[in-house]
Amino acid sequence: MVELDGTSGQLLRVGASQFGVGTEVQKNLERCLSAIDEAAEAGVHVLVLPEFCNHAAWYDSQHHAWSVAVSIDGPFLSAVAERTARHHMYVQCNVSRRTSAAEDDDLRSSNVLFGPDGFVALSDKTVLMGNENNYFKRGLEPNPVIDLPFGRVGLYACMEGVVCEPARHLAVRGATLLLNSLNSFATDEASLHVPVRAAENGVFIVAACKVGPLVPKELLENVAGALQIPSSRLRGAGESQIVNPLGVVLAIAPADGEKLVFADLDLREATRFARPDGTDVWQARRPNLYRSLARNPATDALLPPAVDELAVAVVIPSTPNLTATVEEVSSALVQGAQLIVLPELCGHDPISAVSVDWAHVVHMLTNALAKSSGKANSVHVVTSIIEGGAHVGSHVGIVISGEGIIHRQLQLHTAKRLPWMNQLGDECMTIDLPWGRLGLVVGDDLAYPEVARVFATLGVQVLACPISLQSKWEASLGLPERCAENRINLVAASQTQGLIGSLPTGMTLWADRAERPFDGSINMPNLTWADTGSTVTMGVVRPANAANKMISRGTDLVGGRPYSICAPIVDVPLVSTDR
């Protein structure tokens, strides 16, 4: 196989192999070796296999889990290493792994990377999903970033991709290619969680998921009955895929059936991560603002009492004319909206908006609220304004009631599209309203996954986002994921598009299915999209549902976050020079 050095412009062929895994370890090994042979025949340089390649991730007891686990120097992984070396390639194989010879001792879900010369790297899964918590210990160290001849590579697995921290800390440390092994029946892995990690970090991702039953066939009906889902859903979701740094899927396997997919990559496309306006995302990050992500979740703020339902509206003004905007806000109020989110700067062009009389804008919106059937303190409008001038400006998100501005949030990150903005906020601020706790994400800040995550640690139940959406992924992937991974309701408006993301009741794998029939998704919120064709888009969010952060038994999306691996996210001001 051709040796790649990462600088010559040669393309790196990467592949993802999806297949089923049963309860016979030797047969599972033979399938892994067959997948490696097939990939080598196709000219693949880097191959990713699914999670738990050695045995289906379902066990009778702790002793059973230990007995079918493998060790680094045991026959299973030795055979994978030998076959990988024979083809002079790199292979990520995920297994349940014994960490010692002591019976029933410490087990891990581990990604093991092999190369032409044998063992390369190991990462232990830092976020465990549901039943895995009964048998495995989670890793507490940051997953490695490995320098290979063709570039820097990071490893992670399945549930680690449903939250932002594991992929983020790999990208912050300079990885441009992430390898993800999955053991999931969730359709939102392929449609949301895998591609968003590529786009928000500006990296390539190779993700391999299983197909076929995920539990022993003889237990399939009983387990499906306990979960209250059809047994046909308790199967690997497939759709193994390769995604580029813009979140575009380059190759994808079907939902069913064994398949190898591959694509040719130029990893130099991931060496600089900039938004369309030229803002360097890595340079603009502000690690000190994200400190709470590395603290023990026991220190997180408690969620206040909240109402079950809140009527909300996204208003995308048909014109920057203030009178028309106020009329559209009034229309939303007549329709019962209690929280209305406008785009940043009320839809004005960010450059010309420097000359807008923002005091007059606030006055007009305040009057509209004050006139809304005496609800001056119970209905609110969110937008942003400019404070200062063309050379000393701040971009400030505001909450307006019938009594004026009651809450302010400065934009936290620089943006080249706003040349007048040179004063930034220094913390994420919250406000408690009659229905629950609100946080504001302003301008460009939602492009940074850490911001919504910090608001989650502060007990926010609804995020109001008067924002700018510069790239396609920021709307299609970024907005739903901020809602999903944090279990926060979201109301977002830009000048071209908006979203109301509402948390369903029973949004947990072990939920009462009378409340939420299983649709193949385990974490996708209810989405109501708004665009410029609909000036006023009404919806309902559910603040009280933000109290439920459990995606499955033992797996809390926020309280169970991998805080011990977050030092690179909060302590590294700049990514390595490789990016």
Side-chain angles (χ1 to χ4, degrees), residues 447-464:
Y448 301 82
E450 296 94 338
V451 173
R453 201 74 166 143
V454 168
F455 273 115
T457 71
L458 296 174
V460 162
Q461 291 147 325
V462 178
L463 276 182

Side-chain angles (χ1 to χ4, degrees), residues 8 57 90 168 212 247 322 358 373 393 405 407 471 529 538:
S8 64
Y90 292 86
R168 192 64 162 182
L322 180 58
W358 290 108
S373 305
I405 296 176
H407 182 66
S471 299
W529 291 96
M538 298 292 299

Side-chain angles (χ1 to χ4, degrees), residues 301-308 310 312 339 429-440 452 454-464 482-483 486-491 501-503 541-549:
L302 297 176
L303 275 69
V307 300
D308 290 335
L310 177 71
V312 300
L339 176 67
M429 308 289 290
T430 69
I431 180 172
D432 287 347
L433 296 173
W435 47 260
R437 184 165 296 163
L438 179 72
L440 302 190
V454 168
F455 273 115
T457 71
L458 296 174
V460 162
Q461 291 147 325
V462 178
L463 276 182
R482 301 299 161 253
C483 183
N486 298 299
R487 288 281 170 84
I488 294 179
N489 298 277
L490 182 143
V491 188
S502 179
L503 301 179
V541 297
R542 295 175 173 81
N545 286 353
N548 173 22
K549 307 293 187 184

Side-chain angles (χ1 to χ4, degrees), residues 167-180:
R168 192 64 162 182
H169 86 73
L170 295 170
V172 164
R173 291 155 59 208
T176 57
L177 175 64
L178 304 187
L179 311 180
N180 180 15

Side-chain angles (χ1 to χ4, degrees), residues 35 61 80 97 127-128 130 132-133 148 234 263 300 375 460 517 569:
S61 63
V80 172
R97 181 178 69 92
V127 188
L128 300 176
E132 295 167 10
N133 289 282
L148 295 178
L234 199 56
D300 288 354
K375 299 177 181 178
V460 162
I569 296 174

Side-chain angles (χ1 to χ4, degrees), residues 303-367:
L303 275 69
V307 300
D308 290 335
E309 294 188 349
L310 177 71
V312 300
V314 168
V315 173
I316 301 179
S318 56
T319 170
N321 177 278
L322 180 58
T323 300
T325 299
V326 170
E327 289 176 354
E328 289 153 358
V329 167
S330 298
S331 174
L333 292 170
V334 169
Q335 295 178 65
Q338 296 170 271
L339 176 67
I340 301 168
V341 179
L342 292 162
E344 63 173 14
L345 306 173
C346 290
H348 289 79
D349 174 76
I351 304 302
S352 62
V354 174
S355 61
V356 172
D357 182 353
W358 290 108
H360 180 59
V361 171
V362 172
H363 175 72
M364 292 285 286
L365 291 172
T366 298
N367 282 347

Side-chain angles (χ1 to χ4, degrees), residues 162-197:
V162 181
V163 295
C164 66
E165 293 93 342
R168 192 64 162 182
H169 86 73
L170 295 170
V172 164
R173 291 155 59 208
T176 57
L177 175 64
L178 304 187
L179 311 180
N180 180 15
S181 297
L182 298 102
N183 173 74
S184 178
F185 57 80
T187 57
D188 45 348
E189 293 277 18
S191 63
L192 179 61
H193 302 307
V194 172
V196 76
R197 301 303 167 216

Side-chain angles (χ1 to χ4, degrees), residues 123-376:
S123 72
D124 292 329
K125 193 174 182 181
T126 59
V127 188
L128 300 176
M129 176 64 169
N131 190 51
E132 295 167 10
N133 289 282
N134 296 325
Y135 301 103
F136 302 101
K137 292 183 179 178
R138 73 180 194 174
L140 298 177
E141 300 295 327
N143 300 6
V145 173
I146 310 107
D147 286 300
L148 295 178
F150 47 80
R152 306 198 78 188
V153 176
L155 320 178
Y156 71 111
C158 203
M159 183 61 208
E160 288 184 298
V162 181
V163 295
C164 66
E165 293 93 342
R168 192 64 162 182
H169 86 73
L170 295 170
V172 164
R173 291 155 59 208
T176 57
L177 175 64
L178 304 187
L179 311 180
N180 180 15
S181 297
L182 298 102
N183 173 74
S184 178
F185 57 80
T187 57
D188 45 348
E189 293 277 18
S191 63
L192 179 61
H193 302 307
V194 172
V196 76
R197 301 303 167 216
E200 72 190 12
N201 293 301
V203 299
F204 289 96
I205 289 182
V206 186
C209 192
K210 282 181 181 172
V211 290
L214 294 182
V215 301
K217 292 180 180 179
E218 64 273 16
L219 300 177
L220 190 59
E221 294 299 331
N222 287 340
V223 174
L227 290 171
Q228 301 181 61
I229 66 175
S231 59
S232 59
R233 289 286 194 179
L234 199 56
R235 303 172 63 86
E239 295 191 298
S240 300
Q241 61 189 272
I242 299 160
V243 190
N244 78 4
L246 297 176
V248 176
V249 176
L250 304 177
I252 187 167
D256 295 305
E258 297 187 350
K259 182 71 175 179
L260 168 71
V261 293
F262 55 86
D264 295 329
L265 313 181
D266 183 349
L267 294 187
R268 294 176 302 175
E269 295 177 11
T271 56
R272 183 173 181 272
F273 186 21
R275 299 182 82 206
D277 72 345
T279 301
D280 187 313
V281 172
W282 299 120
Q283 295 281 348
R285 291 182 70 253
R286 300 183 65 196
N288 285 339
L289 297 182
Y290 321 140
R291 292 286 182 181
S292 64
L293 303 186
R295 293 199 295 263
N296 189 316
T299 65
D300 288 354
L302 297 176
L303 275 69
V307 300
D308 290 335
E309 294 188 349
L310 177 71
V312 300
V314 168
V315 173
I316 301 179
S318 56
T319 170
N321 177 278
L322 180 58
T323 300
T325 299
V326 170
E327 289 176 354
E328 289 153 358
V329 167
S330 298
S331 174
L333 292 170
V334 169
Q335 295 178 65
Q338 296 170 271
L339 176 67
I340 301 168
V341 179
L342 292 162
E344 63 173 14
L345 306 173
C346 290
H348 289 79
D349 174 76
I351 304 302
S352 62
V354 174
S355 61
V356 172
D357 182 353
W358 290 108
H360 180 59
V361 171
V362 172
H363 175 72
M364 292 285 286
L365 291 172
T366 298
N367 282 347
L369 291 171
K371 294 175 181 177
S372 60
S373 305
K375 299 177 181 178

